[in-house]
Amino acid sequence: MSLYVKLRYILKVVSAAAWVIVLSVSYAYTWDNPPGFAQTIKSWFGSNSSAPSLFILAVVVYLSPNMLAAIFFMFPFIRRYLERSNYRIVMLMMWWSQ
C-alpha cells in the first residue's frame, strides 16, 4: 500500500474513535435524568437546554458523507465533474470517500 492509503486508513480509525466520543456525549445530553455513566459524561461537560438539537446535528454531520455518496450515485455527472476539480477541499473530500 502507498503512504497515502495507509494515511487514509489511519485517519479513518482516528475519526471513528472521535465519532464514538462525540455521539456518546451528545446523546448523554438528550436524557433528562441519565443513569450511570451517561450521568458522569453529562456532569463532565455541564448541562445545556438545547441538547437534543446537538445530538441531531451530530448525527446529520456523521451521516453527511453517506448522503453525499447517495447524491453522487443518483447524479453521476456531478461526481465526474468533481473528480476533475482542482479545489483542495473537493480533492480531499473525494480522496476521503474512496
Side-chain angles (χ1 to χ4, degrees):
M1 285 191 289
S2 71
L3 175 66
Y4 293 112
V5 174
K6 291 177 185 176
L7 178 65
R8 186 176 67 230
Y9 286 145
I10 291 169
L11 288 174
K12 285 193 175 204
V13 168
V14 169
S15 71
W19 277 116
V20 166
I21 294 168
V22 167
L23 290 173
S24 299
V25 168
S26 62
Y27 186 66
Y29 277 97
T30 61
W31 295 352
D32 292 330
N33 190 14
F37 187 63
Q39 178 66 35
T40 306
I41 292 173
K42 193 171 182 177
S43 68
W44 286 346
F45 294 98
S47 181
N48 190 354
S49 62
S50 64
S53 62
L54 177 67
F55 179 67
I56 297 299
L57 178 66
V59 169
V60 168
V61 170
Y62 176 74
L63 292 177
S64 62
N66 292 335
M67 291 184 278
L68 189 63
I71 290 171
F72 288 162
F73 180 75
M74 291 189 307
F75 303 107
F77 60 89
I78 295 173
R79 183 192 44 142
R80 285 191 297 268
Y81 174 76
L82 290 177
E83 285 176 348
R84 293 188 300 261
S85 176
N86 288 328
Y87 292 115
R88 295 272 185 199
I89 189 72
V90 173
M91 291 170 60
L92 177 69
M93 178 184 63
M94 298 303 281
W95 174 76
W96 184 262
S97 67
Q98 286 182 355

